[in-house]
Amino acid sequence: QVQLVESGGGLVQAGGSLRLSCAASGRTFSSFVMGWFRQAPGKEREFVAAISGSGGSSDYADSVKGRFAISRDNAKNTVYLQMNSLKPEDTAVYYCAATGYSTWLRKPDVYDSWGQGTQVTVSS
């Protein structure tokens, strides 16, 4: 229903920063909660961050609090994930996702649309 296209992944040294972008199609972008998830090899997909349709509320996994920031620009139909102080354990494929729900937002199953994923690799 909503097409999501990610960009911004890459290779960075520990302590560095990256900003991921996710561009969405459609006319009702501001109606969707947007989330970021990540999945490392051999691990389940895990919640990273989510942001309300207006951008007024956000939620973060404990592992990224204070280091990552989610934001959105509804005029550009884009959501961002600013990642600072990156650690090797942040290495994963990062996915953006959209949902019309407002609860259970840390659960991947509530999201209706997913991006293709972008690889983030953090080296020492």
Side-chain angles (χ1 to χ4, degrees):
Q1 184 174 328
V2 179
Q3 295 183 353
L4 305 174
V5 180
E6 300 176 345
S7 62
L11 175 65
V12 65
Q13 288 190 312
S17 298
L18 284 174
R19 188 176 76 159
L20 306 183
S21 299
C22 179
S25 65
R27 305 171 184 172
T28 58
F29 177 72
S30 63
S31 298
F32 293 98
V33 171
M34 298 295 296
W36 287 96
F37 291 77
R38 66 187 183 186
Q39 188 167 23
K43 298 182 65 177
E44 294 185 339
R45 189 167 299 187
E46 67 172 346
F47 171 80
V48 176
I51 188 168
S52 63
S54 68
S57 300
S58 59
D59 186 35
Y60 297 92
D62 288 343
S63 59
V64 306
K65 284 182 180 177
R67 300 189 298 120
F68 290 11
I70 188 171
S71 62
R72 66 193 297 161
D73 186 340
N74 287 342
K76 298 183 184 297
N77 278 18
T78 302
V79 63
Y80 306 94
L81 185 68
Q82 179 67 47
M83 304 185 294
N84 300 322
S85 301
L86 283 162
K87 304 174 181 179
E89 52 262 44
D90 295 318
T91 295
V93 177
Y94 283 71
Y95 300 88
C96 66
T99 181
Y101 292 96
S102 59
T103 59
W104 299 95
L105 297 177
R106 296 188 174 195
K107 299 290 187 179
D109 286 349
V110 310
Y111 290 83
D112 306 299
S113 302
W114 293 84
Q116 78 285 357
T118 185
Q119 177 71 47
V120 172
T121 303
V122 184
S123 64
S124 299

